[in-house]
Amino acid sequence: MVAAPHERSISPLDASAKRLLGDRRLILAANRGPVSFSALADGTLRPRRGSGGVVTALSQVSGHVPLTWVASAMSEADRRAARSPAALDHAMPHEAVRLRFASVPRSVFEGAYNVIANPLLWFLQHELWNLPERPMVGASTMRAWREGYVALNRAFAAAVLTEVPRRDRSPRIMLHDYHLYLAAEPIRRARPDAILSHFTHIPWPSSSTWQVMPPAIREEICAGLLANDVAGFQTRRYAHNFLRSVESFLPDAHVDYHTRAVLRRGRTTLVRSYPISIDVAATQRIAGSRAARRRAQELLGQARERIVVRVDRLEPSKNIIRGFAAFETLMERYPSLRGSTTFLAFLVPSRTSIREYRNYGRKVQDAADRINARFARAGQQVVRIFYENDYAQALAGLTIADVVLVNPLIDGMNLVAKEAAVVNQRDGVLVLSETAGAYDQMADGVLPVAPVDLIGTAAAMASLRAGVEHEDITWWLRRQLDDLAEIAEGRLSG
Amino acid sequence: MVAAPHERSISPLDASAKRLLGDRRLILAANRGPVSFSALADGTLRPRRGSGGVVTALSQVSGHVPLTWVASAMSEADRRAARSPAALDHAMPHEAVRLRFASVPRSVFEGAYNVIANPLLWFLQHELWNLPERPMVGASTMRAWREGYVALNRAFAAAVLTEVPRRDRSPRIMLHDYHLYLAAEPIRRARPDAILSHFTHIPWPSSSTWQVMPPAIREEICAGLLANDVAGFQTRRYAHNFLRSVESFLPDAHVDYHTRAVLRRGRTTLVRSYPISIDVAATQRIAGSRAARRRAQELLGQARERIVVRVDRLEPSKNIIRGFAAFETLMERYPSLRGSTTFLAFLVPSRTSIREYRNYGRKVQDAADRINARFARAGQQVVRIFYENDYAQALAGLTIADVVLVNPLIDGMNLVAKEAAVVNQRDGVLVLSETAGAYDQMADGVLPVAPVDLIGTAAAMASLRAGVEHEDITWWLRRQLDDLAEIAEGRLSG
């Protein structure tokens, strides 16, 4: 017998989930799943936990709501698994998650993922193009758009629709990130009653950045997002930029900046910000584990008294080269720090198949070598790079930092800033780019820097600790569930 | 005896000038002057007419108002001339312009011009940085800012103040472009009664672009512009972007988006758009000259039936490589055009001392070579580059074009678009980037393209003619004079 809600203690998030879903499952679609597959020598499929910030964040959802997660089949092994629902169910026996794959031929996925989503949309939205030369959007790119990206989004819609029980009234569907801008429209056509939301995890730049792109692409993306009931972004600025984009590119849309809503073709889409966060308890648990504490002691033993730490995927938006150059400026200007300071850089390998990333990695190493050549004493490096994916070690680094440097050129949110704030044990300073999404929430507790400003960044490397405990990952999820529930109840509209 | 105003026919511009100035001279400050100097072998100074779009535009002003023009002494010969007002007066005996130089030591000018204004501000405002690597704003850049740019602006202010008659009440002073963002403040301190305006000839990007820059630079620039009574920009979008920048960077400023005014420290600055234009009659006169008509006939004789024309300074913001790539796409997709079409590219050498410009020039030539290798027939090039500064020839090209391609990545205004519209003789089509300032005025009469969209640009290369006759250069000037006169009369305020 189930107890009546008021008789047991439930968390605000659980209450939000219950209110939105009732007896339904939440259907969530994102490019990466909680599990991916590889094929062993004998042909059997082996599941492996997914990694990456979005997966980590979305995996929290399954602790609070029954979930069907539709992901891309990204490899041949995934495509094989997609044909065997039993293998999928078997892969995650211990969780409240049902995994399903949207599966398209490899060439379609390549066009969607390796021509459009990552090299084009991700770079554009991070404003990282060297515009006089790249991108060239010609026939092959437009083919990848139509036959890759559009096709993959349709496949996602079809996979989602398969998972919607026919008798479910108003199925609740959440779509995620820049891979899936066009998935809502075909879902909406088939199920006009769906409660649909999309959340963009990366920045949404100003409309003038989108303006360089072919009209078909920018218009279809904006129109695609407007098939949702809610279009969510990391910050108010990104949400505002989206409203401006819609106004610029879709003449038949009516944009209301006051209510942050768009009316188009008889439908209203709310445009909202839901700053994403971390699982504070889990982060602190890992940082406080015996292994992490031992690693922290080892790092302390190998470093000097003052420690600067950064943790990033090794990629151009993270602004790692200028971070080192600013540290070099610090060494130049404060000779007293030279013998007493170590910079520990925990850099996670990322998209090493992309030439820009490899070139960038080489220049990062060159910058570290240059500083070590100038300032190393008695053979002890002043800049130490840890180039590996070791989350516990990176958290260990954050616990012992006097300064945590988070200086991206642009970043949708940046969870390292939030992790640093909850695990640091040394009253460390958080030096944070004003251009990171996290800055909007954390401005009061950090030292702000402008990303190209070496002197300002050097100067900011000096004591503080912020508190993000109450705006954590459940807060991010709960606010979205509540907005969707109100829509479902007909109470919240533009 | 002077006739009363109503007894003689005066143009609207002359009336505006009279209303603003009364018996005063207009004092105009801009980096380049109407004349620069070179030293002959015997040491005598030879004056030479200045060139460039801003000089050409501002030179029109002298036809309508008595003018004192303060310019940078850019060379050693200019600095010598600066010490000899007689030489300056002698250099321009036939004009109603009095020329004076703001003269600073060469090292100061180098820092202001070749470290800050052109490589930093111009690139930033055109959003042409390859941001993961450039710019690095470190100690040497900040020194060039303080000891170069700030110092040059103070020197300009001092030179302007020297030209203001002590008895003049409310002297009328117009400052121009990105070299002089900080000149108004010291002028205002010395002459609180001055009627001061600044006009930015290049784009003003969104505040998120400025956000990457050191706070000192972005704040001082915004504050510097607010020492003017009017801050003018080419388009409403740029004016809006400036208002947002002020709101982001100057917490003590109150921004009113409705009246487009900023109140700060008791002063109001109006923020306005004044789209710049051309001297229609002069342009048509040159295009209709015997020399230009003969040159047009020669060009026709060397080209095939259909002619595509572009006219640009050879630099990265003009998007010349993609223009050629789009033409290549046109040749691929319309085989019938291959034997019948010629692309005439009139490219004017620009800042060849800057490495990025030289590299870009090489790639432009490579693209032309590639297309000629593919599509030339019987040794006749399909793409012909004219790499020289020959204005009459470029206008001749515009008269005979079937298509004029103006596809910049970003452009403050772009006067080629307007020149094409008034000189073309073949009912040619104007293909125009949506990201050019001129697009805001000319949208109805052109084929719009997105700058990275090769297929769209190729498709747009197909007939039209716009009318810009009434919004010409006198209209640009007159509207500013009128706003300033109203301020002087105390009638126009935020």
Side-chain angles (χ1 to χ4, degrees):
Chain A
M1 182 190 136
V2 178
H6 66 271
E7 286 177 312
R8 50 175 188 154
S9 143
I10 59 170
S11 75
L13 175 57
D14 291 336
S16 294
K18 184 74 193 164
R19 177 173 164 217
L20 172 64
L21 295 172
D23 297 328
R24 300 174 192 83
R25 295 178 83 82
L26 176 63
I27 300 179
L28 183 156
N31 185 63
R32 277 184 196 274
V35 158
S36 65
F37 290 86
S38 54
L40 299 180
D42 67 357
T44 56
L45 294 174
R46 193 178 54 167
R48 208 176 20 184
R49 283 203 147 272
S51 67
V54 175
V55 167
T56 304
L58 299 184
S59 294
Q60 314 294 336
V61 177
S62 61
H64 301 276
V65 298
L67 192 67
T68 298
W69 187 324
V70 179
S72 269
M74 296 181 69
S75 65
E76 203 45 54
D78 282 355
R79 281 186 280 274
R80 273 183 51 208
R83 293 191 291 270
S84 161
L88 294 177
D89 292 339
H90 186 255
M92 21 199 3
H94 300 307
E95 308 199 28
V97 184
R98 173 182 163 96
L99 170 65
R100 288 297 179 265
F101 278 130
S103 186
V104 292
R106 182 184 161 153
S107 65
V108 174
F109 183 76
E110 285 292 311
Y113 191 73
N114 288 323
V115 180
I116 301 299
N118 288 330
L120 197 68
L121 299 179
W122 192 91
F123 268 77
L124 180 91
Q125 293 189 236
H126 285 83
E127 302 187 65
L128 290 177
W129 287 117
N130 183 11
L131 266 184
E133 302 188 9
R134 316 269 318 262
M136 289 269 184
V137 180
S140 65
T141 308
M142 291 310 293
R143 193 156 52 236
W145 170 255
R146 293 265 165 257
E147 297 170 15
Y149 191 86
V150 174
L152 180 64
N153 273 263
R154 290 204 183 115
F156 256 93
V160 163
L161 288 166
T162 303
E163 294 305 310
V164 175
R166 199 172 297 268
R167 60 178 165 68
D168 246 19
R169 276 186 41 220
S170 303
R172 280 40 170 172
I173 301 164
M174 297 179 91
L175 309 171
H176 283 271
D177 224 0
Y178 59 102
H179 313 85
L180 299 185
Y181 287 141
L182 311 182
E185 235 172 359
I187 297 173
R188 172 71 65 202
R189 268 200 303 276
R191 291 297 300 253
D193 62 330
I195 305 290
L196 266 163
S197 73
H198 182 281
F199 183 79
T200 301
H201 291 256
I202 65 175
W204 190 277
S206 79
S207 62
S208 64
T209 297
W210 286 101
Q211 193 103 41
V212 304
M213 292 282 281
I217 291 181
R218 64 193 193 210
E219 288 162 17
E220 285 173 39
I221 287 176
C222 287
L225 284 174
L226 294 181
N228 292 284
D229 295 291
V230 175
F233 298 89
Q234 295 276 20
T235 70
R236 292 173 65 96
R237 184 153 39 96
Y238 301 153
H240 177 81
N241 287 345
F242 176 69
L243 291 171
R244 302 277 296 189
S245 301
V246 166
E247 190 172 46
S248 297
F249 304 137
L250 299 178
D252 62 347
H254 175 75
V255 174
D256 186 327
Y257 289 96
H258 183 64
T259 59
R260 294 176 296 144
V262 180
L263 177 65
R264 181 168 183 258
R265 301 186 180 173
R267 294 202 64 265
T268 297
T269 302
L270 305 185
V271 178
R272 293 287 184 267
S273 61
Y274 304 103
I276 202 166
S277 194
I278 57 173
D279 182 331
V280 172
T283 306
Q284 290 176 327
R285 197 161 53 238
I286 296 169
S289 68
R290 180 192 294 263
R293 283 183 291 137
R294 192 169 51 224
R295 187 75 190 108
Q297 285 306 315
E298 289 167 7
L299 292 168
L300 280 171
Q302 295 159 11
R304 289 166 174 149
E305 304 95 275
R306 291 176 60 89
I307 300 177
V308 179
V309 169
R310 79 176 303 144
V311 176
D312 281 304
R313 288 190 299 112
L314 204 174
E315 48 96 339
S317 78
K318 299 301 185 183
N319 204 25
I320 300 165
I321 296 174
R322 286 197 192 82
F324 285 162
F327 183 73
E328 190 173 20
T329 301
L330 184 76
M331 296 288 99
E332 288 166 358
R333 304 201 147 198
Y334 301 86
S336 65
L337 292 178
R338 285 182 203 162
S340 66
T341 312
T342 303
F343 192 142
L344 305 179
F346 301 92
L347 305 178
V348 178
S350 178
R351 297 183 192 162
T352 48
S353 63
I354 300 184
R355 192 172 43 121
E356 280 92 343
Y357 281 50
R358 286 196 308 272
N359 290 342
Y360 188 75
R362 216 157 17 236
K363 289 172 183 169
V364 165
Q365 185 65 55
D366 289 348
D369 291 347
R370 183 186 70 229
I371 298 168
N372 282 324
R374 288 186 66 186
F375 297 110
R377 288 187 193 171
Q380 199 179 6
Q381 292 182 333
V382 289
V383 176
R384 293 189 57 193
I385 293 178
F386 299 82
Y387 182 58
E388 57 203 327
N389 190 355
D390 183 338
Y391 182 61
Q393 170 178 269
L395 285 183
L398 293 175
T399 61
I400 61 169
D402 297 293
V403 171
V404 175
L405 177 62
V406 182
N407 69 327
L409 281 161
I410 187 169
D411 208 325
M413 175 51 59
N414 195 298
L415 297 181
V416 173
K418 298 188 172 182
E419 289 166 340
V422 301
V423 307
N424 184 268
Q425 300 284 333
R426 298 237 286 198
D427 273 337
V429 177
L430 178 57
V431 175
L432 181 58
S433 254
E434 294 170 36
T435 48
Y439 183 74
D440 292 13
Q441 286 174 288
M442 301 178 77
D444 292 340
V446 304
L447 291 183
V449 290
V452 314
D453 180 4
L454 303 186
I455 294 181
T457 305
M461 290 185 197
S463 281
L464 229 153
R465 193 169 191 279
V468 294
E469 279 84 355
H470 69 285
E471 294 186 357
D472 69 354
I473 184 74
T474 66
W475 177 76
W476 171 76
L477 178 60
R478 180 164 53 84
R479 290 180 55 239
Q480 294 183 74
L481 297 180
D482 285 348
D483 280 356
L484 295 172
E486 292 201 18
I487 287 168
E489 291 161 10
R491 284 202 272 129
L492 184 64
S493 65
Chain B
M1 182 188 134
V2 178
H6 65 270
E7 287 177 317
R8 50 174 189 153
S9 144
I10 59 170
S11 76
L13 175 56
D14 292 336
S16 294
K18 184 76 191 159
R19 177 174 164 218
L20 172 62
L21 296 172
D23 297 328
R24 300 176 193 84
R25 295 177 83 82
L26 176 63
I27 301 179
L28 184 154
N31 184 62
R32 277 183 195 274
V35 157
S36 64
F37 291 86
S38 54
L40 300 179
D42 66 356
T44 55
L45 294 174
R46 193 176 55 166
R48 208 176 20 184
R49 282 203 148 274
S51 66
V54 175
V55 168
T56 305
L58 299 184
S59 295
Q60 314 294 338
V61 176
S62 62
H64 301 276
V65 298
L67 191 66
T68 296
W69 186 323
V70 179
S72 270
M74 296 180 70
S75 65
E76 204 45 53
D78 282 356
R79 279 186 282 273
R80 272 181 53 206
R83 292 192 289 269
S84 161
L88 294 176
D89 291 339
H90 187 256
M92 21 199 4
H94 301 306
E95 308 200 28
V97 183
R98 173 182 163 95
L99 170 64
R100 287 298 179 265
F101 278 130
S103 184
V104 291
R106 182 183 162 156
S107 65
V108 174
F109 183 76
E110 285 292 311
Y113 192 72
N114 287 324
V115 180
I116 301 299
N118 288 331
L120 196 66
L121 298 180
W122 192 91
F123 268 78
L124 180 90
Q125 293 189 238
H126 284 84
E127 302 186 65
L128 291 176
W129 288 116
N130 182 12
L131 266 185
E133 301 187 10
R134 313 271 319 263
M136 288 269 182
V137 179
S140 64
T141 309
M142 291 310 292
R143 195 158 47 238
W145 171 255
R146 292 267 165 252
E147 297 170 16
Y149 191 86
V150 173
L152 180 65
N153 274 262
R154 289 204 184 117
F156 256 93
V160 163
L161 288 167
T162 301
E163 294 305 310
V164 174
R166 200 173 296 269
R167 59 178 166 67
D168 247 21
R169 277 189 39 219
S170 303
R172 285 26 177 178
I173 300 163
M174 297 179 90
L175 308 171
H176 283 271
D177 223 1
Y178 59 102
H179 313 84
L180 298 184
Y181 287 141
L182 311 183
E185 233 172 1
I187 297 173
R188 172 72 64 202
R189 267 200 304 275
R191 292 296 303 252
D193 62 329
I195 306 291
L196 267 163
S197 72
H198 182 281
F199 184 78
T200 301
H201 291 256
I202 65 175
W204 191 277
S206 80
S207 61
S208 64
T209 297
W210 286 99
Q211 193 103 41
V212 304
M213 293 282 280
I217 292 181
R218 64 193 192 209
E219 286 163 18
E220 286 174 38
I221 287 175
C222 287
L225 285 173
L226 294 181
N228 293 283
D229 295 293
V230 176
F233 297 88
Q234 295 277 20
T235 70
R236 293 173 64 94
R237 185 153 39 99
Y238 301 152
H240 176 81
N241 287 346
F242 176 69
L243 291 171
R244 302 277 297 187
S245 300
V246 167
E247 191 173 47
S248 297
F249 304 137
L250 299 178
D252 62 347
H254 176 74
V255 174
D256 185 328
Y257 289 94
H258 183 63
T259 60
R260 292 176 297 144
V262 180
L263 176 65
R264 181 170 183 257
R265 301 186 179 173
R267 296 201 63 268
T268 297
T269 302
L270 305 184
V271 177
R272 293 287 185 267
S273 61
Y274 305 105
I276 203 166
S277 193
I278 57 173
D279 181 331
V280 172
T283 306
Q284 289 176 327
R285 197 160 56 236
I286 297 169
S289 68
R290 181 192 295 264
R293 283 183 289 134
R294 191 167 55 222
R295 188 72 190 109
Q297 285 307 313
E298 289 166 8
L299 291 169
L300 280 171
Q302 294 160 14
R304 289 167 173 148
E305 305 96 275
R306 289 177 60 92
I307 299 178
V308 179
V309 168
R310 78 177 303 144
V311 176
D312 280 302
R313 288 189 298 111
L314 202 174
E315 48 97 339
S317 77
K318 300 301 185 183
N319 205 25
I320 300 165
I321 297 174
R322 285 196 192 82
F324 286 162
F327 182 73
E328 190 173 19
T329 301
L330 184 75
M331 297 288 99
E332 287 166 359
R333 302 200 150 200
Y334 300 86
S336 64
L337 291 178
R338 285 180 203 164
S340 65
T341 310
T342 303
F343 193 141
L344 305 179
F346 301 93
L347 303 179
V348 177
S350 178
R351 298 183 191 163
T352 49
S353 63
I354 299 182
R355 190 172 44 123
E356 280 91 342
Y357 281 50
R358 288 197 307 273
N359 289 344
Y360 188 75
R362 218 160 13 238
K363 288 172 184 170
V364 164
Q365 185 65 57
D366 288 349
D369 291 348
R370 183 187 68 229
I371 298 168
N372 282 322
R374 288 186 67 185
F375 297 111
R377 288 189 193 170
Q380 199 179 6
Q381 291 181 331
V382 289
V383 176
R384 293 190 58 195
I385 293 178
F386 299 82
Y387 181 59
E388 57 202 326
N389 189 355
D390 183 337
Y391 183 60
Q393 171 177 270
L395 285 184
L398 293 176
T399 60
I400 61 170
D402 297 293
V403 170
V404 175
L405 176 62
V406 182
N407 69 326
L409 280 162
I410 187 170
D411 209 325
M413 176 51 59
N414 195 297
L415 298 181
V416 172
K418 297 187 173 184
E419 290 166 341
V422 301
V423 307
N424 184 269
Q425 300 284 332
R426 299 238 284 199
D427 274 337
V429 176
L430 179 57
V431 175
L432 181 59
S433 253
E434 294 170 37
T435 49
Y439 182 75
D440 292 13
Q441 287 174 287
M442 302 177 76
D444 291 341
V446 304
L447 293 183
V449 290
V452 313
D453 179 6
L454 305 185
I455 294 180
T457 305
M461 292 184 198
S463 286
L464 227 152
R465 194 170 189 279
V468 294
E469 279 83 354
H470 68 286
E471 294 185 359
D472 69 353
I473 183 73
T474 67
W475 176 76
W476 171 77
L477 178 59
R478 180 164 53 83
R479 290 179 55 239
Q480 292 182 76
L481 297 180
D482 286 349
D483 280 355
L484 294 173
E486 292 201 18
I487 287 167
E489 292 160 9
R491 286 203 269 125
L492 184 64
S493 64

